[in-house]
């Protein structure tokens, strides 16, 4: 079976882990945590970065550091991984779901502006949502599949309405936007994930990056139990969101290979796009002109009216030893978020039924990708074959 996405661990991972064990620094303090943080800052074009135990925890503590809490609304794209919305909920705030653009799959700037224009008023107490009286505290754009959202427009809107921006850049390390690095797009804080399925993994982990060093000190303080000095004195309700030296050792070794990994991901994307570009009813993943995506996942958008539901295609691909997966289920269809306020345009629901992700590990061999391409072409029912099986 050709797997969907597995890590490539051929660099300094084992050596750095061995160093942790020999030094006995296996827990939340150690040279690898410091080196990991510097490396994330440098590779993202940010002044500083703070390691976290996961991307979700990073998103959570970023919002707490920005003063977001109960009574606040945070605008979240309706099409994302559930962790984005969960991080808002963990702060005691509520997600306000705004749909994505059909061509880029990221937060739609027009819908965002429309929502703020029609439903909020600026007051001395902040931006207030008319019907609920709640404060709109922040926008959390998601860099879907490692491709930055249209940040110039989103930042303009955020500045106009004077609200914060926390970017969920979970899988976007290595991407650029209009030639700028991922940490230079104007978000107050930018959060990365180093979970096992991301391009660069620490086993599990996250990082919060930014250019306001005072704010990042606050993130660090809050995520490390808010301790003052060296004894048992704490000045806030802090978290234990620390990354261990073991995770950072793996993460650092992975970061050393970032360029090669992203290049591999982009090659895989290009090859699928080229191979499937000539098959009608199969569409490419987005590549908006403003960005060079980090191409976290690749695959195709299937015309299900023509080829039938994804589940059937997936079953056939599995028989051909090729793994494939659907992509995110929209937030408004998730049990905890079904009752959230939302501004929807139908895009996320449409996409969720049609996106099929295909094998795209950084070490996917050319022959394996050829096999995947042949399998996909082979399992598509021809229109005539389909007619025959219909009652
Ligand atoms: C992976 C991911 C997260 C969560 O990161 P974890 O490290 O698994 O907590 C959040 N948002 C998006 C868009 C992701 O892809």
């Amino acid at each position: 079976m050709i797997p969907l996405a597995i890590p490539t661990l051929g660099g300094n991972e084992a050596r750095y882990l061995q160093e942790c064990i020999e030094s006995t620094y296996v827990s939340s303090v150690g040279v690898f945590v410091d080196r990991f943080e510097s490396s994330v800052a440098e590779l993202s074009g940010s002044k500083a970065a703070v390691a976290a135990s996961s991307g979700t925890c990073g998103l959570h503590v970023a919002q707490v550091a920005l003063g977001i809490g109960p009574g606040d609304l945070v605008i979240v794209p309706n099409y994302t991984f559930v962790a984005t919305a969960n991080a808002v909920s963990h702060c005691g705030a509520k997600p306000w779901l705004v749909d994505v653009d059909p061509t880029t799959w990221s937060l739609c700037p027009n819908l965002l502006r429309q929502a703020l224009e029609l439903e909020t008023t600026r007051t001395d107490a902040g931006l207030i949502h008319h019907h609920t009286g709640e404060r709109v505290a922040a926008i959390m754009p998601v860099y879907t599949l490692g491709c930055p959202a249209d940040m110039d427009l989103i930042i303009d809107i955020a500045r106009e309405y004077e609200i914060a921006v926390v970017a969920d850049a979970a899988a976007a390390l290595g991407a650029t936007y209009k030639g700028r690095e991922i940490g230079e797009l104007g978000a107050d804080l930018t959060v990365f994930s180093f979970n096992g399925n991301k391009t660069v993994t620490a086993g599990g982990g996250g990082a919060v990056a930014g250019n306001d060093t005072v704010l990042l000190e606050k993130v660090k303080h809050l995520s490390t139990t808010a301790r003052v000095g060296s004894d048992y004195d704490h000045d806030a309700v802090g978290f234990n969101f620390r990354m261990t030296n073991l995770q950072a050792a793996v993460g650092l070794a992975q970061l050393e290979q970032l360029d090669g990994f992203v290049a591999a991901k982009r090659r895989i994307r290009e090859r699928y796009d080229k191979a499937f570009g000539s098959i009608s009813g199969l569409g490419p993943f987005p590549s908006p002109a403003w960005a060079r995506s980090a191409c976290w996942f690749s695959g195709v958008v299937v015309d299900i009216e023509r080829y039938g539901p994804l589940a059937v295609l997936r079953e056939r691909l599995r028989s051909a030893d090729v793994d494939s997966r659907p992509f995110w289920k929209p937030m408004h269809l998730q049990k905890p978020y079904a009752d959230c306020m939302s501004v929807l345009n139908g895009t996320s629901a449409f996409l969720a039924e049609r996106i099929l992700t295909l094998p795209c590990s950084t070490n996917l061999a050319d022959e394996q990708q050829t096999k995947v391409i042949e399998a996909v072409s082979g399992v598509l029912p021809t229109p005539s074959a389909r007619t025959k099986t219909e009652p």
Side-chain angles (χ1 to χ4, degrees), residues 54-56 59 80-81 83-84 142 168 170 193-195 198 205 296 328:
S54 70
T56 312
L59 288 167
T80 184
F81 181 56
T84 320
V142 174
D168 180 346
S193 165
F194 296 90
N195 190 41
K198 305 299 198 257
W296 171 38
W328 297 329

Side-chain angles (χ1 to χ4, degrees), residues 169-368:
L173 203 59
T176 57
Y177 172 88
K178 300 183 183 174
R180 278 132 63 195
E181 293 193 78
I182 208 81
E184 301 174 330
L185 309 186
D188 295 274
L189 294 167
T190 299
V191 180
F192 302 104
S193 165
F194 296 90
N195 190 41
N197 68 347
K198 305 299 198 257
T199 303
V200 172
T201 184
V208 183
N211 297 311
D212 177 343
T213 46
V214 175
L215 181 59
L216 280 155
E217 274 306 315
K218 199 166 172 189
V219 169
K220 180 90 183 177
H221 183 65
L222 286 170
S223 59
T224 55
T225 73
R227 191 177 68 182
V228 185
S230 56
D231 290 323
Y232 291 97
D233 186 21
H234 307 263
D235 66 358
V237 181
F239 303 93
N240 176 6
F241 284 170
R242 288 178 286 217
M243 177 183 268
T244 67
N245 206 39
L246 290 170
Q247 290 166 297
V250 174
L252 178 69
Q254 289 267 294
L255 288 171
E256 291 169 353
Q257 303 164 78
L258 176 70
D259 289 350
F261 286 169
V262 172
K265 288 282 194 185
R266 287 177 177 153
R267 258 197 322 273
I268 292 166
R269 170 73 61 87
E270 256 173 52
R271 203 162 160 224
Y272 281 139
D273 285 356
K274 207 166 151 211
F276 299 130
S278 54
I279 302 180
S280 63
L282 294 185
F285 282 17
S287 48
W290 65 66
R292 278 204 83 201
S293 175
C295 298
W296 171 38
F297 275 154
S298 289
V300 282
V301 185
V302 178
D303 178 351
I304 56 171
E305 281 73 24
R306 180 179 180 131
Y307 292 127
L310 293 187
V312 177
L313 295 178
R314 290 185 58 211
E315 200 46 57
R316 293 199 194 117
L317 285 172
R318 209 187 331 269
S319 309
D321 287 333
V322 170
D323 197 10
S324 66
R325 292 278 300 274
F327 199 46
W328 297 329
K329 179 175 168 183
M331 293 308 103
H332 75 290
L333 300 177
Q334 306 278 4
K335 191 173 167 199
Y337 300 112
D339 296 330
C340 277
M341 288 197 303
S342 59
V343 185
L344 305 182
N345 60 11
T347 302
S348 354
F350 180 91
L351 290 174
E353 290 191 344
R354 289 166 177 78
I355 298 176
L356 185 68
T357 56
L358 294 171
C360 56
S361 307
T362 45
N363 63 359
L364 183 74
D366 277 353
E367 313 84 74
Q368 288 179 305

Side-chain angles (χ1 to χ4, degrees), residues 93-108:
K94 285 186 204 150
W96 181 9
L97 306 173
V98 173
D99 223 324
V100 298
D101 178 281
T103 61
T104 68
W105 306 358
S106 55
L107 185 64
C108 174

